């Protein structure tokens, strides 16, 4: 299903993702980590298609299930928070996205430590949200931190490192234009 999604074969991917979700539910019931993962995967497919109204209830259900299964402090909860925040961000619902990104970042920091790639991803996600809002002075230090972590953990040629470096350069360039009056 995820291969089909990456190929743009959305109908085929949806069929398989729905089958997987139904299979996990029939095997393990409604309250199982694989059910939450399947909900996130199906929601991600819908998000990538711009089917936000279909994605949101699935993301919310996955988050609720992760919290029920694992409590408030678990990496899966951080993933679900991040996914829901990304959905809201893609809809321009920035005020709803920000606290979710902040919660995901705090969870990842406390559970995984500062030197984990997922912490860098959360820093990057929050920075991009701020940049999308024009909050460049908030975005810049977060991107710098994310870049430093990606360079240390993944190397200079990793796609995440390259993308974050480009985002940081863009934000700094825009800040320079702002300071220059234009």
């Amino acid at each position: 299903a995820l291969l089909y999604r990456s190929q743009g074969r959305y109908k085929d991917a949806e069929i398989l993702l729905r089958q997987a979700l139904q299979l996990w539910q029939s095997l393990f019931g409604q309250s199982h980590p694989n059910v939450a993962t399947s909900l996130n995967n199906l929601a991600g497919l819908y998000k990538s298609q711009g089917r936000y109204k279909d994605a949101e209830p699935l993301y919310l259900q996955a988050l609720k299930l992760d919290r029920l299964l694992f409590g408030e402090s678990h990496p899966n909860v951080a993933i679900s928070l991040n996914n829901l925040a990304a959905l809201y961000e893609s809809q321009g619902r920035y005020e709803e996205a920000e606290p979710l990104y902040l919660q995901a970042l705090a969870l990842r920091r406390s559970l995984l430590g500062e030197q984990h790639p997922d912490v860098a991803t959360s820093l990057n996600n929050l920075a991009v949200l701020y940049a999308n809002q024009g909050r460049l002075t908030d975005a810049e230090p977060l991107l710098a931190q994310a870049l430093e972590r990606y360079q240390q953990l993944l190397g200079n040629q990793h796609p995440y490192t390259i993308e974050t470096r480009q985002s940081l350069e863009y934000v700094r360039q825009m800040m320079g234009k702002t300071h220059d009056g234009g």
Side-chain angles (χ1 to χ4, degrees):
L2 299 179
L3 172 66
Y4 288 162
R5 176 183 166 188
S6 71
Q7 294 173 335
R9 296 171 56 186
Y10 297 128
K11 291 286 185 204
D12 294 329
E14 183 176 3
I15 289 167
L16 294 177
L17 288 170
R18 286 184 168 280
Q19 286 177 354
L21 177 60
Q22 290 170 352
L23 186 59
W24 290 124
Q25 289 171 328
S26 68
L27 290 172
F28 299 113
Q30 298 296 320
S31 297
H32 190 273
N34 292 353
V35 172
T37 298
S38 287
L39 289 165
N40 268 314
N41 289 340
L42 185 56
L45 173 69
Y46 292 155
K47 178 184 174 279
S48 69
Q49 295 175 283
R51 295 171 58 185
Y52 303 132
K53 288 189 187 317
D54 294 325
E56 185 174 7
L58 299 178
Y59 278 142
L60 288 168
Q61 189 177 349
L63 176 59
K64 182 178 179 180
L65 186 53
D66 282 334
R67 285 177 164 157
L68 174 74
L69 293 170
F70 303 114
E72 288 295 323
S73 295
H74 191 275
N76 287 17
V77 174
I79 290 168
S80 287
L81 288 165
N82 185 76
N83 289 345
L84 186 59
L87 175 71
Y88 291 158
E89 180 181 6
S90 66
Q91 295 174 283
R93 296 165 62 183
Y94 301 136
E95 294 76 24
E96 293 170 87
E98 183 178 6
L100 299 175
Y101 276 144
L102 287 168
Q103 288 175 53
L105 174 59
L107 263 179
R108 287 175 167 168
R109 279 180 159 154
S110 69
L111 296 171
L112 305 173
E114 286 293 328
Q115 297 306 313
H116 193 281
D118 288 352
V119 172
T121 297
S122 280
L123 289 166
N124 186 70
N125 291 345
L126 186 59
V128 170
L129 173 74
Y130 290 157
N132 286 338
Q133 293 175 289
R135 296 169 56 186
L136 302 178
T137 56
D138 292 328
E140 192 269 342
L142 298 176
L143 283 169
Q145 290 174 47
L147 177 60
E148 180 182 329
R149 282 173 179 77
Y150 281 145
Q151 287 172 328
Q152 290 172 351
L153 300 168
L154 306 176
N156 285 326
Q157 299 309 312
H158 191 279
Y160 292 171
T161 306
I162 293 168
E163 183 179 326
T164 303
R165 185 181 306 110
Q166 291 170 344
S167 295
L168 180 59
E169 289 170 2
Y170 175 77
V171 164
R172 286 180 173 165
Q173 181 182 40
M174 295 306 295
M175 289 173 68
K177 287 183 179 179
T178 302
H179 294 313
D180 294 338

